[in-house]
Amino acid sequence: MIRVLLAEDQDLVRGAMAALLSMEPDIEVVAEIDRGDEVLTAALQSQPDVALLDIEMPGVDGIAAAAALRGGLPQCRVLMLTTFGRPGYLRRAMSSGATGFMLKDAPAAELAVAIRRTARGERVLDPQLAAQALSDGDSPLSSREAEVLVSAVDGSSAADVARRLFLSEGTVRNHLSAAIQKLGARNRMEAARIAREKGWI
Amino acid sequence: MIRVLLAEDQDLVRGAMAALLSMEPDIEVVAEIDRGDEVLTAALQSQPDVALLDIEMPGVDGIAAAAALRGGLPQCRVLMLTTFGRPGYLRRAMSSGATGFMLKDAPAAELAVAIRRTARGERVLDPQLAAQALSDGDSPLSSREAEVLVSAVDGSSAADVARRLFLSEGTVRNHLSAAIQKLGARNRMEAARIAREKGWI
DNA sequence: ACTTTCAAGTGACCGATGTCACCTCGCAAA
DNA sequence: TTTGCGAGGTGACATCGGTCACTTGAAAGT
């Protein structure tokens, strides 16, 4: 029996996935949670073999949850699950200790197969996405540039961002300008869009 | 037996929902599709009693699919399903002929109940969201203002939008300015964010 | 010790953006 | 039929945003 922990914030989707897995004779869902920050405690209690983690979750995201899990329960493998095929997501998931990485638009029949492979410690990942992640390289943004960019995308002015991050307005504009150039964008919004698509912010 | 058509673009989620519904003795999934523009043809072929439509889909969205369905197969009821609890979504879904409206973070056990009620023609909707939709009122944006706003959110300059919509640059700026004021925003990005949250664009 | 790298800041420049006053035109309700 | 409204446009204005040159200080390689 493979013991599975299921972390996914949308109740309907989580319940449906549990139903899907309940049809497999060798898979048992031993825990269901809807927040990233409850993954570790639930895992310590239920001792799963595989944790199926969504990336987009309230609390902390699935990537941070995977890192916590590797620290607290290293024998538990992680299969990351996400809506968005962003190369940076895959990169960050892998370096936070995930064994597999699966997209939600993969065939439903693949899920059980992927779980079994993950339980055996085999790598599960989309070849296209892996190639993309390798060719894109790592994020060219410095941590400060990324921080300023995320803080500016919601329509805040440079002055707002400066107040929020305790910087001068000129510095904020300089960081944004650097980010815009590094990403080959024409303004902050385009830069944010590109960085989001790559999974860099 | 209630015959159900399932339209949802993410294969894994769709398969999982089909598994969830297959456990109900009185519900049968007679069609599964992943695009909005294939809903009508699939429905005409499979003659479902209830169409379960996701809003976010490639091709045409679930709201447009619902409208097409009401024209081509009026006896089929529509239960709309969506990730985002945006008041404008509910409003537009209802006026395009949906019988029910359900969020993906509703309890999984509710789905079958909602389908049965939809099949009987009863209204299914989240009271909170309905109240919100009523208190928000309809979109204050004129059709042109909304059009200009959606065309400007991706980081395009006013000149770009002007070229794309065959307008003068000044007119684009005027429309954006009107949208910004009507939504109580401070710039085009904030206006876009507000309009998106409400489901007005 | 020296160079490189990055965060941070300053001051200046110019184009883009948001606002306002005011214009025409077509259409629909009073 | 007049009145009002929205689409579309023009020109002017102040502010914001993106860029550049240059400086400082701290950390890390060589």
Side-chain angles (χ1 to χ4, degrees):
Chain A
M1 261 327 226
I2 303 174
R3 300 168 60 82
V4 173
L5 175 146
L6 197 52
E8 151 72 48
D9 61 333
Q10 295 185 312
D11 203 304
L12 195 58
V13 175
R14 178 159 37 80
M17 284 176 51
L20 183 66
L21 293 176
S22 73
M23 293 172 163
E24 306 293 331
D26 57 338
I27 292 177
E28 184 184 12
V29 176
V30 296
E32 285 189 37
I33 42 189
D34 60 359
R35 309 181 46 83
D37 46 14
E38 291 170 4
V39 167
L40 183 57
T41 30
L44 288 173
Q45 200 171 7
S46 58
Q47 297 285 321
D49 303 307
V50 175
L52 200 56
L53 306 182
D54 192 359
I55 291 190
E56 293 84 22
M57 268 191 295
V60 304
D61 66 17
I63 294 174
L69 212 47
R70 187 170 54 164
L73 194 73
Q75 69 273 25
C76 174
R77 320 261 193 198
V78 169
L79 175 55
M80 206 63 83
L81 194 62
T82 177
T83 304
F84 307 103
R86 297 176 181 162
Y89 273 10
L90 190 148
R91 177 181 299 275
R92 280 154 56 201
M94 285 334 227
S95 53
S96 78
T99 298
F101 190 96
M102 196 173 179
L103 291 179
K104 281 191 185 169
D105 53 9
E110 292 285 313
L111 183 61
V113 178
I115 288 177
R116 288 187 197 104
R117 294 183 56 187
T118 304
R120 285 198 300 271
E122 294 174 32
R123 296 293 188 175
V124 179
L125 45 87
D126 186 10
Q128 255 100 27
L129 198 55
Q132 181 79 40
L134 289 171
S135 75
D136 277 353
D138 215 342
S139 170
L141 301 178
S142 74
S143 63
R144 216 44 170 161
E145 285 159 1
E147 192 178 1
V148 170
L149 190 55
V150 295
S151 183
V153 288
D154 61 353
S156 301
S157 70
D160 291 336
V161 177
R163 263 191 300 280
R164 215 176 307 159
L165 299 179
F166 304 103
L167 295 174
S168 93
E169 189 178 330
T171 302
V172 170
R173 292 221 300 270
N174 280 340
H175 281 313
L176 284 173
S177 182
I180 288 166
Q181 289 198 313
K182 284 180 179 177
L183 299 177
R186 276 160 46 197
N187 53 46
R188 56 180 72 182
M189 291 322 300
E190 225 174 60
R193 191 170 47 75
I194 293 170
R196 238 196 310 267
E197 276 168 14
K198 302 278 192 184
W200 289 335
I201 59 171
Chain B
M1 260 327 227
I2 302 174
R3 299 168 61 82
V4 173
L5 175 145
L6 198 52
E8 151 73 49
D9 61 333
Q10 295 185 312
D11 203 305
L12 196 58
V13 175
R14 177 159 37 81
M17 282 174 52
L20 184 66
L21 293 176
S22 73
M23 293 171 162
E24 306 292 332
D26 57 338
I27 291 176
E28 185 185 11
V29 177
V30 295
E32 286 191 35
I33 42 189
D34 60 357
R35 308 182 46 85
D37 46 15
E38 291 171 4
V39 167
L40 183 58
T41 32
L44 289 174
Q45 199 172 9
S46 58
Q47 297 285 322
D49 303 306
V50 175
L52 201 57
L53 305 182
D54 192 359
I55 290 191
E56 293 85 21
M57 268 191 295
V60 304
D61 67 17
I63 294 175
L69 213 46
R70 189 170 51 166
L73 195 73
Q75 69 273 26
C76 173
R77 320 260 194 199
V78 170
L79 175 56
M80 205 63 84
L81 194 63
T82 179
T83 304
F84 307 104
R86 295 175 183 163
Y89 273 9
L90 191 150
R91 176 181 299 276
R92 279 154 56 201
M94 286 333 227
S95 52
S96 78
T99 298
F101 190 96
M102 196 173 178
L103 291 179
K104 280 191 187 169
D105 52 9
E110 292 286 315
L111 182 60
V113 179
I115 289 177
R116 289 188 196 103
R117 293 182 56 187
T118 304
R120 286 198 299 271
E122 295 173 32
R123 295 292 188 177
V124 179
L125 44 86
D126 186 11
Q128 255 101 26
L129 197 56
Q132 181 80 39
L134 290 172
S135 75
D136 275 354
D138 215 341
S139 171
L141 301 178
S142 74
S143 63
R144 215 45 169 157
E145 284 159 2
E147 192 178 0
V148 170
L149 190 54
V150 295
S151 183
V153 287
D154 62 353
S156 301
S157 70
D160 291 337
V161 177
R163 262 190 301 280
R164 215 175 309 159
L165 300 180
F166 305 103
L167 294 174
S168 92
E169 188 178 330
T171 303
V172 169
R173 292 222 300 273
N174 282 339
H175 281 314
L176 284 173
S177 183
I180 289 166
Q181 289 197 313
K182 283 180 178 178
L183 298 177
R186 276 160 44 198
N187 53 45
R188 55 179 73 183
M189 292 321 302
E190 224 174 62
R193 191 171 48 73
I194 294 171
R196 239 196 310 267
E197 277 168 14
K198 301 280 192 183
W200 289 335
I201 61 170

